[in-house]
Amino acid sequence: MFSKTKTQAFSSYLKNNLKLLNIDTRSISSLKVVWRKDQALDRAIDNDKRYKQCIRVVKEVLNEPGQVIPLRYLEKRRERMRLKVKVETFLNQNPFLFDVYYDRIKPKTEPVRFLRVSDRLRQFLEEEKRVFTVNEPLIVSKLCKLLMMSKDKVVSADKLLHVKREFGFPNDFLVDLVPRYPEYFRLTGLPGEGKSFLELVTWNPEFAKSVIERRAEEESRCTGIRVRPNFNVKLPRGFVLKKEMREWVRDWLELEYVSPYEDVSQLDQACREMEKWRIGVFHELLSLSLYKRVPVPILGKFCDEYRFSNAFSSAFTRHSGIFYMSLKGGIETAVLREAYDGDKLIDLDPLLQIKDKFVELMEEGWRQRQEELRLKQEKIKKDMELLATKVTE
């Protein structure tokens, strides 16, 4: 990590030699890049919309005591689940997810419709547990990395619960997984009460290598030539930076790569090296996420832990060759460009294999519904033809 002496010497060197190096020292915040829509990356977000909607409803039911809920109670939570159709319509559209049955909310009340997970969904949940078990070392490393990049190696447990779906953590990771790794984690307080924190106990040097550093090491092994760690910059087709911004990016890329796991507490918050570190943190966070993209409001929850400024989201448009800021669905989402080929993820996170199985379950239900609708329409058509024949007689 950066030593205090090394950082002070480097800062002094920069101050004394900026003019000789002909480096533009304007405020980073003054550098503007026009936002431009990327249809392929927007489409990638759109492709997962129906899947994520189903997952939100399933999680809502699973979080209930006994994993059952009155249908009318779930209907009242539509806004929270961002469900645009009525729950009953949703159930008709996705027939394999839940069973509907009648039960009493209280002993003397009339029976009402309840929801419980279907046998098919129960099988999927068992498979999900297996996938989490097989990939537990990956989950542990991700969790360690999130702590290792944080300012004090401590992150609010409640905030981590908010991002569990983004990074693929199991629902019960704080109460099940964390206690089994006391050599890495220390949990204080009770999650859900606002004053619970997860602290890093041991620094693992193997985890302290970013995706960019590992990529450079791999390229060096393959070519036999030392490859310097740096960002991949790929502007979208037809996108051109203004000359002053192009020169700034060129000079910025020439700076030495600063790992997101480095201690940068001695660096000036406004210097370009700090910008290099900060972009490295964003790059690493998105690389660790399941879909290599994270909604900006979720990243914003971690401003204190990761030294993000209030205007941190401008970095995603300022470095538009590294990131894309999607506005799809009215939500700002930071996307890692290099992770996609068009609208397809290039390297799938191992935890995403469970998504494929869930999609198979949904699609089977959709096909059954389509077949039922087809048969119903055919019956209506035959009935109408029969009725027309009787009328003509």
Side-chain angles (χ1 to χ4, degrees), residues 137-138 141-142 144-145 148 203-222 225 227-232 257 259-261 283-284 287-288 338:
L138 171 63
S141 70
K142 281 190 180 187
C144 282
K145 284 170 174 283
M148 291 165 72
W203 181 278
N204 187 331
E206 272 302 303
F207 294 160
K209 289 182 180 179
S210 68
V211 168
I212 289 177
E213 289 170 310
R214 290 183 185 278
R215 183 170 64 207
E217 287 180 357
E218 181 61 26
E219 290 181 17
S220 297
R221 278 195 297 269
C222 291
I225 303 171
V227 176
R228 190 167 66 108
N230 215 335
F231 300 98
N232 280 342
Y257 173 76
S259 170
Y261 300 101
H283 186 285
E284 188 74 352
S287 296
L288 291 173
E338 68 184 39

Side-chain angles (χ1 to χ4, degrees), residues 328-359:
K328 195 70 179 175
I331 299 175
E332 292 184 337
T333 301
V335 185
L336 187 61
R337 283 196 185 277
E338 68 184 39
Y340 285 83
D341 180 9
D343 61 351
K344 304 296 182 185
L345 270 172
I346 297 172
D347 295 317
L348 293 182
D349 189 296
L351 293 168
L352 276 181
Q353 64 179 282
I354 198 63
K355 176 203 169 184
D356 294 337
K357 295 182 181 297
F358 190 81
V359 169

Side-chain angles (χ1 to χ4, degrees), residues 59-70 73 77 80:
K59 297 299 184 186
E60 192 72 31
V61 176
L62 292 178
N63 288 336
E64 288 295 304
Q67 298 183 341
V68 299
I69 186 173
Y73 287 6
R77 302 179 190 178
R80 187 173 78 185

Side-chain angles (χ1 to χ4, degrees), residues 244-257:
E244 59 180 10
M245 188 63 197
R246 198 162 60 242
E247 291 175 350
W248 185 91
V249 170
R250 179 199 63 204
D251 292 339
W252 182 79
L253 285 171
E254 285 300 313
L255 294 174
E256 184 179 350
Y257 173 76

Side-chain angles (χ1 to χ4, degrees), residues 19 77 170 234 271:
K19 290 184 179 180
R77 302 179 190 178
K234 184 182 180 182
C271 75

